Amino acid sequence: MSTSQQQDNVIKVPAGMRVNADGHFVPEASIREQDLLRDQIVMALVPEALSLSRDMAAYKAKALNDISDLIEIAADRYGAKLGGKKGNVSLVSFDGRYKIQRTYREVVAFTEEIEAAKALIDSCLIRWSEGANANIRAVVSQAFRKNRNGEISTGKVLDLMRMEIDDEEWNRAMAALKDALKSNGTAVYIRVYERIGTTDQYKPISLDIASL
């Protein structure tokens, strides 16, 4: 959509009116003071958050580019040709105070075959209901519990596949889980660390607003 089209789609709000969440015009005079104060805080904080998000995206792009350039320089120095996806690297400042890591992680998702695996596992739990270890039942239930985004935890499902259970139906379920795993590409991360005093330990410099 062009800028002119976006401008045409902007709702023109008459003076003295506000637009509510349903898209309806509401006289500002009829809005509670607390609602107006809440709106004022949100509308002041969100643009700052958007600016921070853009700055962090720009920082990540610059960091990845600078690290790739450094690796290319090292390769050129030795006459090496780099091919394919570059791997994980760790860069430490000359004084050892700071460390930056570039890491790649495969992004894994599940196909529809996970439903077959879950059905087989449920069948096992029903069959074992009399003598099944309560811990196993808890682990299985937790593995298929979806998060608030409706996603199943890959790590918890992989934990199931590490269980050694001598049962034919369970083994078929694990085979279905294996077939359900699908690679969705690779994610790249930049992590920055600061050394703790004069030790050989490093603490992360948080770039996650939730952990600050």
Side-chain angles (χ1 to χ4, degrees):
M1 183 181 293
S2 67
T3 302
S4 60
Q5 288 175 316
Q6 289 176 335
Q7 291 173 344
D8 290 340
N9 290 333
V10 173
I11 298 174
K12 295 179 175 61
V13 183
M17 303 290 284
R18 292 286 190 98
V19 178
N20 67 14
D22 295 321
H24 302 148
F25 291 124
V26 178
E28 189 168 315
S30 69
I31 302 174
R32 293 190 316 142
E33 181 182 1
Q34 189 66 29
D35 293 339
L36 291 172
L37 287 172
R38 184 188 309 112
D39 180 74
Q40 180 181 347
I41 294 296
V42 172
M43 297 305 291
L45 291 176
V46 168
E48 295 180 18
L50 291 171
S51 178
L52 282 172
S53 178
R54 288 190 292 268
D55 289 344
M56 290 180 69
Y59 170 78
K60 181 179 180 181
K62 180 181 184 301
L64 290 173
N65 186 65
D66 288 351
I67 292 171
S68 293
D69 287 347
L70 182 66
I71 293 171
E72 291 286 351
I73 290 170
D76 289 343
R77 179 169 290 117
Y78 295 100
K81 296 292 184 183
L82 301 177
K85 185 172 292 183
K86 301 176 179 65
N88 301 340
V89 294
S90 182
L91 313 176
V92 181
S93 63
F94 186 74
D95 62 3
R97 184 179 177 186
Y98 299 112
K99 177 171 65 174
I100 297 178
Q101 290 181 337
R102 182 192 71 183
T103 57
Y104 285 94
R105 181 177 66 84
E106 185 179 12
V107 178
V108 177
F110 296 104
T111 68
E112 72 284 352
E113 290 158 313
I114 195 170
E115 295 300 329
K118 188 176 184 303
L120 288 169
I121 291 172
D122 287 342
S123 176
C124 287
L125 292 180
I126 293 172
R127 183 161 46 84
W128 299 342
S129 58
E130 292 299 322
N133 186 296
N135 292 331
I136 293 178
R137 291 201 300 272
V139 169
V140 170
S141 298
Q142 189 71 22
F144 287 98
R145 184 170 298 168
K146 295 182 179 180
N147 61 21
R148 59 187 177 185
N149 296 321
E151 300 168 338
I152 295 173
S153 169
T154 305
K156 290 177 181 177
V157 171
L158 292 177
D159 285 341
L160 288 183
M161 297 174 65
R162 297 187 184 98
M163 289 183 175
E164 295 185 5
I165 298 177
D166 186 14
D167 183 279
E168 189 272 337
E169 189 173 34
W170 176 267
N171 291 333
R172 281 193 287 125
M174 295 305 101
L177 277 184
K178 183 178 179 181
D179 290 340
L181 288 172
K182 177 184 178 183
S183 175
N184 271 0
T186 305
V188 59
Y189 300 90
I190 292 292
R191 296 183 173 93
V192 187
Y193 300 86
E194 182 178 18
R195 192 169 68 182
I196 302 174
T198 58
T199 71
D200 60 353
Q201 301 297 310
Y202 286 82
K203 63 180 179 181
I205 296 174
S206 180
L207 298 176
D208 178 4
I209 193 170
S211 64
L212 293 175

